[in-house]
Structures are given as C-alpha cells and as structure tokens.
Amino acid sequence: MPTAIGRDELRRVADEQHAVVAEVLPESGYAWAHLAGAIHLPLKGWDPEAVKARLDPDRPVVVYCNDHQ
C-alpha cells in the first residue's frame, strides 16, 4: 500500500534500502523539485520498455511526486 512521506524521509528510506528513486514529475516540476540521484520517469508518455530498462529489478523503487493538492 502506498504511503505518503516527506522528502527527508524519502531520502532516508531510499538510502537505507538502496532503493531507486523515480520521479514522476512533469518536466516543469522536475526542474523545480528534482532530488539528487533520482531518475526522471514522467507519467505522461511512459514507454513501458524504456521504464523497464531504467529500473533494476533487484532494487526497491520509491516513486516521488511533489503534489500539493
């Protein structure tokens, strides 16, 4: 089940679990809120094969979206 956490907690969890951080922000959000070391996988226009090629199946994935709604 997804759990909402803040940026600092995300960084801590990702570091402890050696997780890949995937940002699903649009380009404008990515420029504003990018996390160092994260990969950019914008939700719009996902190519499943391209996404699969960028993720390591042996590492957990943390998905990051900065949504203030």
Side-chain angles (χ1 to χ4, degrees), residues 11-21 56 58-62:
R11 203 60 283 165
R12 185 187 67 73
V13 169
D15 289 347
E16 286 177 1
Q17 296 185 19
H18 306 288
V20 174
V21 176
D56 180 344
D58 295 325
R59 292 175 63 192
V61 176
V62 177

Side-chain angles (χ1 to χ4, degrees), residues 10-62:
L10 178 143
R11 203 60 283 165
R12 185 187 67 73
V13 169
D15 289 347
E16 286 177 1
Q17 296 185 19
H18 306 288
V20 174
V21 176
E23 295 177 329
V24 296
L25 305 165
E27 200 63 46
S28 61
Y30 178 77
W32 176 75
H34 173 67
L35 293 171
I39 61 171
H40 188 214
L41 298 172
L43 282 177
K44 289 189 177 183
W46 262 21
D47 172 4
E49 290 304 313
V51 171
K52 185 177 172 182
R54 296 196 62 199
L55 298 177
D56 180 344
D58 295 325
R59 292 175 63 192
V61 176
V62 177

